[in-house]
Amino acid sequence: MADRLRAVRKEHGMNLTDLVISTEVSKTQLIRFYTSDRRIFTEETYEKLWRFAYYYDK
């Protein structure tokens, strides 16, 4: 899913701050998502990121 998030961000010209605003997930959590174990997130956070990755359309 991290690859999908990167692709959507690139496609829409978004930086990490734009992703924070769109998903309502903190910047710290997003950095941790991209750099370390992705299983440490709550179901709610993962769902927000998944929804953005597969359903975002600006």
Side-chain angles (χ1 to χ4, degrees):
M1 185 170 75
D3 290 338
R4 176 71 181 155
L5 282 171
R6 283 186 188 97
V8 172
R9 281 179 52 202
K10 184 176 180 180
E11 179 182 327
H12 294 286
M14 299 174 81
N15 60 28
L16 201 56
T17 303
D18 296 331
L19 185 59
V20 168
I21 293 167
S22 296
T23 61
E24 298 177 356
V25 174
S26 75
K27 194 170 189 175
T28 303
Q29 284 184 311
L30 287 173
I31 291 169
R32 197 178 306 145
F33 179 81
Y34 281 120
T35 58
S36 58
D37 190 7
R38 292 178 177 86
R39 293 174 288 180
I40 60 175
F41 295 98
T42 65
E43 180 87 21
E44 180 183 349
T45 299
Y46 195 83
E47 184 178 311
K48 286 179 182 181
L49 294 174
W50 188 88
R51 196 176 314 125
F52 176 84
Y54 291 97
Y55 292 107
Y56 181 76
D57 189 22
K58 193 169 189 178

